Amino acid sequence: MYRNFQSSFYILFLAFVLTSCSKDEETINPPEIETDNVARATAKQLYQDHYIASKTTASDPQWNGDSNHCNAGTLAQNTMSKIFQRVHYYRMAVGLNNTLTENQDQSAKAQEAALMMKSNQQLDHFPPSSWSCYTEAGSEAAGKSNLAMAKNAEAVDLYISEPGSSNGPVGHRRWLLWPRLNSMGVGNSDNSNVLWVVGNSGSAPADAPDFISWPPADYVPSDLIYPRWSFSITGADFSQTTVSMVDEIGNAIAINMEDLNTLYGDPTIVWQPQGISTNISEDTAYVVTLNNVEINGELEDFEYTVILFDPNR
């Protein structure tokens, strides 16, 4: 079964055609992609209204805790709102329009976890009781949360970008973009962040997209294109799946695949395309094709287009 995802954001006119060439190489006829100025403007407005609006500013309230006295402090409502706004930006960008709510009991424990991470200047989902400022509540939160040595809404970018050799499965991203996520607990200091996500599941929104990918299909701000790309579907088996990409003139993009891991959220396949430039002077498109995704015992193919644009133009 083949699924060709052509949203109103673009029109894909040509299927891929493989032809023989010298040295047994394969070339692909370039896809023709029509610019959709309305869709581009919509993506830009979403970026302005939610991503840019959630940036930390000099006038934002500062953390009022004290790690020297193991005072976890409290999280200012403005900071809390911006963290949720940044998470909602990424979720809306992939087509998830449900609003996450705060679990205040979890936030109280997550705040203690944030203090522990700051006090010990390291991250640990299973912190030892010998840690300074250790509490059982903070330890519980650490085991059920995304953790970052970063603060405020900017920590969300770390979770989505997944830098570092240990983040191949993009587990933080998968939790935050999980369709069934319906609430979070939030802890935050002046250099640490804790988002309680494990166990906070509900029903997926009725209008959830058929798949979740980052970067998502259609128009995406170029500064939010990260080295690791991912594709998730509930109940999918990616053990037979192959991923390929071409640019808008038909050049094949080299891909490095990450190992499969089913521990976080929905089943997800992850890869790193090579040679993708985010320093662009004009909109740049890439077509992604996934073959042999097993869903309910059937193999399906998926195809979608990612269009990078400079949100400052």
Side-chain angles (χ1 to χ4, degrees), residues 173-188:
R173 179 190 299 177
R174 287 159 70 171
W175 284 125
L176 291 181
L177 301 184
W178 191 30
R180 293 180 57 197
L181 184 68
N182 64 9
S183 65
M184 293 193 308
V186 180
N188 195 75

Side-chain angles (χ1 to χ4, degrees), residues 52-72:
I52 296 299
S54 61
K55 284 189 172 183
T56 299
T57 67
S59 62
D60 286 347
Q62 301 298 306
W63 179 59
N64 60 5
D66 182 355
S67 59
N68 292 326
H69 296 88
C70 292
N71 174 11

Side-chain angles (χ1 to χ4, degrees), residues 1-10 12 90-98 173-174 177-180 204-220 229-238 241 243-244 266-269 271 286-291 293-295 300-307:
M1 185 179 297
Y2 180 78
R3 297 189 186 182
N4 185 3
F5 289 89
Q6 300 181 25
S7 74
S8 60
F9 291 174
Y10 64 87
L12 182 63
Y90 282 106
R91 288 177 66 85
M92 286 187 287
V94 302
L96 295 171
N97 299 308
N98 57 319
R173 179 190 299 177
R174 287 159 70 171
L177 301 184
W178 191 30
R180 293 180 57 197
D207 61 349
D210 291 299
F211 62 84
I212 301 294
S213 66
W214 194 268
D218 308 317
Y219 288 90
V220 188
W229 293 36
S230 60
F231 180 96
S232 305
I233 295 183
T234 302
D237 181 347
F238 293 107
T241 302
V243 180
S244 60
D266 283 332
T268 299
I269 190 168
W271 66 96
Y286 297 93
V287 179
V288 180
T289 303
L290 294 94
N291 294 115
V293 178
E294 183 175 340
I295 302 174
E300 302 188 23
D301 299 333
F302 294 82
E303 182 180 284
Y304 60 98
T305 299
V306 176
I307 306 174

Side-chain angles (χ1 to χ4, degrees), residues 240-293:
Q240 303 177 68
T241 302
T242 59
V243 180
S244 60
M245 291 176 57
V246 296
D247 63 19
E248 57 194 11
I249 61 173
N251 294 320
I253 304 298
I255 288 174
N256 292 334
M257 300 300 301
E258 301 280 2
D259 293 336
L260 294 176
N261 186 306
T262 60
L263 293 179
Y264 317 98
D266 283 332
T268 299
I269 190 168
V270 185
W271 66 96
Q272 294 193 49
Q274 305 302 297
I276 302 294
S277 175
T278 58
N279 183 20
I280 57 175
S281 58
E282 58 184 22
D283 296 357
T284 305
Y286 297 93
V287 179
V288 180
T289 303
L290 294 94
N291 294 115
N292 297 326
V293 178

Side-chain angles (χ1 to χ4, degrees), residues 155-170:
V156 178
D157 295 335
L158 275 181
Y159 298 136
I160 299 296
S161 63
E162 298 284 20
S165 60
S166 64
N167 288 320
V170 298

